[in-house]
Amino acid sequence: MPPLARRNLFHDKVRLTVTLTGIVFAVVLIVVELGLFVGFTTTTSGLVDHSGADLWVASKNVPYIEQGVAFSERRLNQVRAIPGVGEAEKYIAHWTQWKRPDGSEESVQIVGFNVDSNVGRPWNLVQGRTEDLKTPDAIIVDELYKQKLGVTRVGEVFEIHGRRARVVGFTRGIRSFTTSPYVFTSFKNAQDFVGLREDQTYFLLVKLTPGADLEKVRRAIGGQVKDVEVLTSHEFSRMTRIYWMFTTGAGVAVLLAAVLGLIVGFVVVAQTIYATTMDHLREFGTLKAMGAANSYVYKVIIQQAAMSAVIGYVLGMAVSSFVVRASQHGGAAILMPWQMAVGMFFLTLTMCIGAALVSINKVTRLDPAIVFKG
Amino acid sequence: MQPAIAVRALEKTYAEGAAGVPALRGVDLDVHPGELVMLMGPSGSGKTTLLSIMGCILSPTSGHVQIAGQEVGKLSEKQLPAIRLEHIGFVFQGFNLFPTLTAGENVELMLDLKGVRGEKAKNRSRELLERVGLADKYTTFPSDLSGGQKQRVAIARALAGDPQIILADEPTAALDSQTGQTVMEMMARLAHERDRAVVIVTHDSRVLSFADRIVRIEDGLIAKKRPESEVSPELLVHSAAQAGGILIA
């Protein structure tokens, strides 16, 4: 087959530029909006997802991690006594106030965990060690929030809930979905920072022994420890995500933006591909007059759309990758997991071919007698 | 001899308003292999409509159309492309070449539709371009060809399908006198030397001398047929003489 589709695409450089710009714009728009949605969603449950725990023991009806209700730490021993429990540790995630050097206050979220355990620890440490948190006033914050908290370097001293707090390290990229940054510290420090009684905790994190049955252990804890709810990390993560993304309405706005991005992207692509097809309408009329079956004409149009999609996708992803990388230094993360990148390829292809199908409808109804007009 | 095209009691009314607009009102016409027929008439008389119906591009409102002995008037729109591909070649006033394809590729496109591909198609394309005097233009894009050259490429493309019928709509309208003559010589040769039925819609009185028969259409009816016997032998000699030098497939 003579390379009609390829030539049609590359012949008019201005039209090609317009078409590809439309597709690239759509790809970037969709990636950014979906990436923001994924970024926000992932951020909301970051603490749960990175906790390393298999089960979370919380007070009854706790809807999400930030809404923990204190309960007696005596339940820790009850949990540890249950077969299949390899490790169980107290855990705090709770809001409190941070005093900046200039005297102003910021809301922060204290994350307290047992420094000697393997659960609930901070991740992506770029300065300092988790073990440094063993000292009474030690804290670790994320470098994203240095400016917000007035932190410039390790060793600086601040005030949290009227108590001394000393920065011993920094993490990178641990965002909070709310405006309150996470402050990692030892469980003991956390009790002081949030004003929790010594015999209380907000959560218990449970890690199972190798080979233990998750559901069995969960049922056992639920049956033997009173007034608690036992959630798998997956469940608690989902609950937290759903709360922030849908119950609060915050995520709905992001989701709506993502859906709008999809729609706008599709419309832009549809319009560009449609215009490209319309530019060649007379040629398609000639093809039909020459005796080409509709399927032959469709093939040309779809080939043209598919080529546009592939080039537009490659360029769009290059721009998107740049935007995603740049966003890592900002407060709102745009995430592009590989599944999204792959999905985006098929989405771009579908959008372009779908848009081509819209124009095919026009070509199908095209009167071949158009060839006799002028 | 069986006519290549046989049209009987052909009517075509375009849906427009309550009554519609009649374009053809009972046309009878036969075109035989080896015959060059010119359709003439004022604008809106129905010439192009008749050409479109004979070319299986348009369906008649009523009447019969036979192409190479096959009734096509009642065929569906899905069946008509196959008839066009098999039996009919078109030459258009505006050439209708694909601007993004070279002259050779334009011809190959028709061959591709016929299922001829690869080297065989390239060779056939070169051969056809050579026969219309454009052997050196295989890789030239239409934008770099003159009007006459474009029309010759269009003729080569029409011939690529090896059709029994060539239908041309004002093939010389966009050409100067000399180039128009050259194109008409080719068309005449197609009819007379290759036994093809050629129907040309034209307003161009300069090319009438190439016609075996002139059919005038007025208000959707054939006003006057010029019998074959009226075509003078001088005209045919004139046509043949002017067509010399370029061999048509």
Side-chain angles (χ1 to χ4, degrees):
Chain A
M1 183 180 189
L4 188 56
R6 181 164 56 83
R7 292 283 178 75
N8 278 354
L9 191 64
F10 290 101
H11 180 73
D12 185 342
K13 300 288 186 294
V14 175
R15 164 56 66 192
L16 177 65
T17 306
V18 170
T19 305
L20 292 180
T21 303
I23 298 170
V24 168
F25 172 78
V27 168
V28 174
L29 181 71
I30 294 169
V31 166
V32 168
E33 295 295 354
L34 284 179
L36 270 173
F37 181 74
V38 173
F40 279 141
T41 309
T42 308
T43 301
T44 58
S45 61
L47 286 182
V48 182
D49 297 333
H50 288 89
S51 67
D54 296 311
L55 293 170
W56 285 67
V57 180
S59 296
K60 291 264 185 201
N61 304 318
V62 167
Y64 60 102
I65 188 167
E66 285 85 358
Q67 198 63 24
V69 176
F71 60 87
S72 170
E73 69 168 35
R74 275 182 299 177
R75 293 188 175 89
L76 177 63
N77 291 329
Q78 292 177 300
V79 171
R80 281 179 173 162
I82 291 169
V85 172
E87 193 176 355
E89 298 294 344
K90 295 176 287 183
Y91 189 78
I92 288 173
H94 204 74
W95 278 295
T96 191
Q97 290 300 114
W98 167 291
K99 194 174 227 176
R100 285 167 49 99
D102 60 8
S104 61
E105 292 202 338
E106 288 285 348
S107 171
V108 293
Q109 202 172 337
I110 295 294
V111 180
F113 63 100
N114 181 355
V115 179
D116 291 322
S117 76
N118 290 314
V119 289
R121 296 161 72 97
W123 61 101
N124 290 350
L125 266 171
V126 289
Q127 199 173 347
R129 298 173 307 139
T130 306
E131 286 65 32
D132 295 339
L133 292 174
K134 285 180 178 175
T135 49
D137 53 1
I139 57 166
I140 289 174
V141 295
D142 196 276
E143 53 182 21
L144 280 171
Y145 300 104
K146 277 182 171 176
Q147 197 179 353
K148 183 180 175 68
L149 300 176
V151 180
T152 55
R153 58 183 166 75
V154 163
E156 284 183 308
V157 175
F158 297 86
E159 197 178 302
I160 300 175
H161 195 61
R163 290 176 181 273
R164 184 177 190 270
R166 188 170 47 88
V167 178
V168 297
F170 291 107
T171 57
R172 178 173 293 164
I174 301 184
R175 288 180 175 78
S176 161
F177 180 67
T178 64
T179 55
S180 309
Y182 294 128
V183 175
F184 290 92
T185 188
S186 68
F187 184 81
K188 179 71 188 71
N189 285 341
Q191 280 182 316
D192 294 337
F193 288 147
V194 301
L196 189 67
R197 271 177 27 203
E198 274 196 10
D199 62 341
Q200 288 193 312
T201 183
Y202 280 106
F203 299 98
L204 295 177
L205 304 192
V206 177
K207 196 160 181 62
L208 303 189
T209 52
D213 185 297
L214 185 73
E215 274 307 309
K216 202 172 166 185
V217 176
R218 175 192 178 161
R219 278 197 301 273
I221 297 173
Q224 294 175 40
V225 183
K226 287 184 178 174
D227 300 325
V228 294
E229 193 156 4
V230 189
L231 302 159
T232 64
S233 283
H234 179 70
E235 278 175 342
F236 199 35
S237 170
R238 191 166 52 85
M239 283 166 62
T240 301
R241 288 178 185 207
I242 288 173
Y243 177 82
W244 283 115
M245 299 310 289
F246 300 107
T247 312
T248 64
V252 174
V254 182
L255 183 62
L256 267 179
V259 172
L260 276 177
L262 266 174
I263 294 169
V264 172
F266 183 79
V267 169
V268 169
V269 169
Q271 202 279 332
T272 17
I273 297 285
Y274 184 79
T276 306
T277 307
M278 291 304 106
D279 279 353
H280 298 284
L281 204 56
R282 191 178 174 81
E283 291 162 36
F284 295 132
T286 304
L287 258 180
K288 289 180 79 168
M290 284 162 62
N294 276 336
S295 57
Y296 191 95
V297 182
Y298 299 165
K299 203 169 147 188
V300 174
I301 295 172
I302 288 173
Q303 271 181 355
Q304 203 171 316
M307 281 189 274
S308 305
V310 171
I311 300 169
Y313 170 80
V314 170
L315 295 175
M317 289 310 274
V319 176
S320 299
S321 300
F322 177 76
V323 173
V324 167
R325 195 165 302 133
S327 79
Q328 303 311 310
H329 306 293
I334 299 170
L335 296 185
M336 186 169 59
W338 68 266
Q339 295 94 329
M340 190 200 286
V342 173
M344 201 56 221
F345 173 74
F346 290 106
L347 182 65
T348 310
L349 206 57
T350 306
M351 283 197 301
C352 289
I353 292 175
L357 292 176
V358 175
S359 53
I360 276 176
N361 186 41
K362 176 93 176 172
V363 173
T364 304
R365 288 185 282 114
L366 177 67
D367 182 358
I370 187 178
V371 291
F372 290 127
K373 290 167 187 161
Chain B
M1 189 199 318
Q2 177 183 276
I5 305 171
V7 166
R8 293 286 176 275
L10 195 69
E11 292 189 2
K12 177 67 184 177
T13 302
Y14 290 106
E16 198 176 302
V21 177
L24 295 175
R25 299 184 296 158
V27 172
D28 296 323
L29 180 67
D30 285 349
V31 183
H32 291 91
E35 188 181 27
L36 192 157
V37 174
M38 287 196 186
L39 296 180
M40 296 197 74
S43 292
S45 59
K47 312 181 294 292
T48 303
T49 298
L50 179 58
L51 193 76
S52 299
I53 292 173
M54 290 192 296
C56 298
I57 278 178
L58 205 60
S59 296
T61 306
S62 64
H64 300 276
V65 183
Q66 282 193 350
I67 300 296
Q70 185 181 355
E71 175 63 45
V72 297
K74 302 288 182 243
L75 291 182
S76 70
E77 277 192 25
K78 280 188 176 174
Q79 293 168 303
L80 290 176
I83 300 290
R84 292 199 289 271
L85 188 60
E86 182 67 24
H87 299 290
I88 303 165
F90 290 97
V91 178
F92 307 104
Q93 176 184 347
F95 320 122
N96 290 30
L97 296 178
F98 293 84
T100 60
L101 300 181
T102 65
E105 288 166 342
N106 264 280
V107 178
E108 282 171 39
L109 191 60
M110 184 72 220
L111 292 165
D112 188 60
L113 291 176
K114 296 283 281 186
V116 182
R117 297 185 180 106
E119 276 307 304
K120 199 173 170 188
K122 285 190 197 311
N123 293 337
R124 177 73 179 140
S125 171
R126 285 181 200 283
E127 188 186 317
L128 285 163
L129 284 176
E130 193 180 332
R131 289 184 182 188
V132 294
L134 296 173
D136 57 335
K137 301 294 182 188
Y138 181 87
T139 55
T140 307
F141 284 96
S143 56
D144 296 325
L145 296 172
S146 68
Q149 288 171 327
K150 284 177 191 171
Q151 201 58 296
R152 280 148 70 189
V153 173
I155 292 170
R157 180 177 69 182
L159 293 176
D162 196 22
Q164 297 143 272
I165 299 162
I166 301 279
L167 302 178
D169 182 43
E170 304 272 11
T172 59
L175 306 177
D176 62 52
S177 173
Q178 185 58 48
T179 313
Q181 290 285 321
T182 307
V183 167
M184 285 310 301
E185 286 159 11
M186 288 185 181
M187 303 294 272
R189 280 179 170 263
L190 284 176
H192 303 142
E193 294 182 6
R194 304 301 299 177
D195 225 20
R196 290 182 164 104
V198 179
V199 180
I200 298 174
V201 165
T202 186
H203 280 107
D204 189 353
S205 56
R206 297 170 301 180
V207 301
L208 296 182
S209 58
F210 290 93
D212 296 326
R213 186 154 51 109
I214 295 169
V215 176
R216 285 198 65 82
I217 300 184
E218 285 174 12
D219 298 327
L221 291 167
I222 291 180
K224 178 189 173 187
K225 290 184 186 176
R226 186 178 182 185
E228 284 172 44
S229 58
E230 288 183 20
V231 179
S232 67
E234 289 80 6
L235 274 181
L236 294 174
V237 170
H238 166 81
S239 302
Q242 289 201 338
I246 298 169
L247 182 66
I248 301 295

